[in-house]
Amino acid sequence: MNKLFKKYNFQYAVLSFLFLQILIHSVYGFTFKYNILGDFEIVQQLRQGSLSTSSYSPDSPFYHIGAFLLKIDYFENYIIYLTILTVLIQLLIVLKISYLKKESLLFISAGWVVTVGWYVGNTDVLAVLLAIYLFDSVNKENINWVKVFIFSSLLTFSHYGLAFFIIFSIVILLINENKKMLIPVSIFGYLFGRLIIQLYLNSFNYSGRSRFRFLFNDNILNNTFNLTSSFFLNIILSGFLGMIMLLILNTYNNSSQKNFRIYLSLAISIIGTSIALDSSRVFSVIIVPLIYYLIIQYKKNIKLINQNLIYSV
């Protein structure tokens, strides 16, 4: 019990969770993804032993498999299942970041909260949780590379499109001389997660389009590029929301090397966004590692400034 209280700050976890629920249910709104009925039909197809859908939704199978294993037969029960699962994952997120104490509220102020509220049924909230776990497993001196591999694989299994850019961003932000294994372990974790998805799809005779193939349909890439360029500033602001000031503050206080990492990570996130139709949604999830990194750096800078003030006095 003592270890549990040392690991998590329950006071700030409760505060963050309440703040998160107010934002989602009273400010931004709680809605399900487009064609949520189509996702339930995928679950029904799993029960029949064959995926006949042509949608690319089956290649993000986490929720589908869960509903299949729980033998959910009715659409209303599937909606309840998604709602409960989403809230539980949100709770795990606030518990995970509770060690940040008051700075944990900054993380709740970012654009990913809008996304997980508006698109319930997508695995975005799960990607956010796994991104934090992967980041923390790398952001330490004694790294457990097995954990890095597992979290990379799980993140990929939840959504391999988002995972590619999230993992890339974490590598950019955290790699150093003592973490050279990060690149090969992350690559193998990603490939393993992608392999598991493909084996799953093959076992249910799926012959529809993958996300990658969908991008090369007529004018899809051209439309995504035009969408990103037309709404570029809106996408950036909606992704960061209140965290845009934190980006500016960290730029001022950080070294040039850290700023290079920050803006390279931001550039990678923008590139990932430019090939996605849901531009603002995708961007808000891909930049989660960067926002998390900015908060950690901000907390360190504030502590350093306070120490310097004490020494000067």
Side-chain angles (χ1 to χ4, degrees):
M1 185 64 70
N2 289 333
K3 288 183 178 180
L4 194 63
F5 277 94
K6 286 181 180 179
K7 188 175 182 181
Y8 303 115
N9 188 310
F10 288 97
Q11 178 183 351
Y12 280 100
V14 171
L15 182 60
S16 296
F17 184 72
L18 291 175
F19 182 38
L20 179 61
Q21 298 312 306
I22 290 170
L23 287 176
I24 290 177
H25 294 282
S26 300
V27 180
Y28 302 138
F30 185 87
T31 58
F32 290 89
K33 61 173 284 191
Y34 172 74
N35 195 26
I36 191 67
L37 180 59
D39 276 24
F40 177 66
E41 289 172 353
I42 291 172
V43 177
Q44 292 179 310
Q45 291 170 19
L46 291 178
R47 294 180 64 82
Q48 295 167 2
S50 179
L51 286 168
S52 58
T53 181
S54 60
S55 166
Y56 55 72
S57 293
D59 64 14
S60 292
F62 185 86
Y63 293 160
H64 307 147
I65 293 174
F68 168 69
L69 294 175
L70 292 172
K71 298 181 179 180
I72 295 176
D73 293 326
Y74 299 100
F75 179 64
E76 292 79 6
N77 292 341
Y78 183 67
I79 293 297
I80 294 170
Y81 155 77
L82 288 178
T83 303
I84 293 173
L85 192 57
T86 298
V87 173
L88 285 176
I89 295 172
Q90 291 169 4
L91 181 59
L92 290 175
I93 289 173
V94 298
L95 278 172
K96 182 60 178 171
I97 64 172
S98 62
Y99 77 93
L100 292 170
K101 296 184 178 179
K102 61 183 179 181
E103 280 78 14
S104 62
L105 295 173
L106 293 175
F107 190 75
I108 307 300
S109 302
W112 67 269
V113 176
V114 182
T115 295
V116 302
W118 283 1
Y119 299 96
V120 178
N122 281 332
T123 54
D124 299 341
V125 66
L126 180 61
V128 171
L129 175 66
L130 292 171
I132 297 170
Y133 268 94
L134 178 58
F135 188 102
D136 282 345
S137 67
V138 177
N139 191 32
K140 55 179 62 175
E141 291 184 6
N142 299 316
I143 300 175
N144 185 332
W145 293 111
V146 174
K147 283 187 177 181
V148 175
F149 175 84
I150 291 172
F151 288 133
S152 297
S153 299
L154 288 174
L155 180 58
T156 304
F157 186 76
S158 70
H159 193 301
Y160 70 85
L162 295 175
F164 180 85
F165 292 99
I166 289 173
I167 292 171
F168 201 170
S169 181
I170 290 173
V171 170
I172 290 170
L173 292 170
L174 298 180
I175 194 167
N176 58 36
E177 287 293 324
N178 300 320
K179 299 176 182 178
K180 292 180 179 178
M181 284 292 293
L182 179 57
I183 294 177
V185 172
S186 298
I187 291 174
F188 282 121
Y190 182 86
L191 292 177
F192 182 75
R194 188 67 185 88
L195 175 63
I196 296 301
I197 292 174
Q198 196 57 52
L199 290 174
Y200 154 78
L201 295 175
N202 291 344
S203 67
F204 286 96
N205 303 313
Y206 176 69
S207 59
R209 297 172 300 176
S210 67
R211 295 177 190 275
F212 184 74
R213 282 175 56 194
F214 178 77
L215 286 175
F216 291 94
N217 282 5
D218 293 342
N219 295 322
I220 292 296
L221 278 177
N222 187 49
N223 290 340
T224 60
F225 292 148
N226 289 337
L227 184 65
T228 303
S229 61
S230 299
F231 298 96
F232 180 77
L233 185 58
N234 290 336
I235 291 170
I236 297 295
L237 292 176
S238 66
F240 279 100
L241 284 185
M243 296 299 95
I244 196 71
M245 287 304 299
L246 204 60
L247 176 65
I248 297 170
L249 285 172
N250 275 280
T251 300
Y252 177 77
N253 291 317
N254 283 340
S255 64
S256 57
Q257 183 181 18
K258 288 181 179 178
N259 283 335
F260 174 76
R261 289 174 181 264
I262 288 171
Y263 285 99
L264 182 58
S265 172
L266 178 58
I268 293 300
S269 300
I270 292 171
I271 291 171
T273 302
S274 68
I275 58 174
L277 285 175
D278 296 332
S279 302
S280 59
R281 168 188 153 249
V282 169
F283 181 72
S284 68
V285 178
I286 290 176
I287 63 165
V288 162
L290 175 57
I291 287 174
Y292 195 43
Y293 177 82
L294 290 173
I295 293 172
I296 292 171
Q297 289 299 312
Y298 171 75
K299 191 176 178 68
K300 287 180 180 178
N301 288 336
I302 289 295
K303 185 177 180 180
L304 184 61
I305 290 170
N306 289 337
Q307 286 177 346
N308 288 338
L309 285 174
I310 293 171
Y311 291 146
S312 64
V313 172

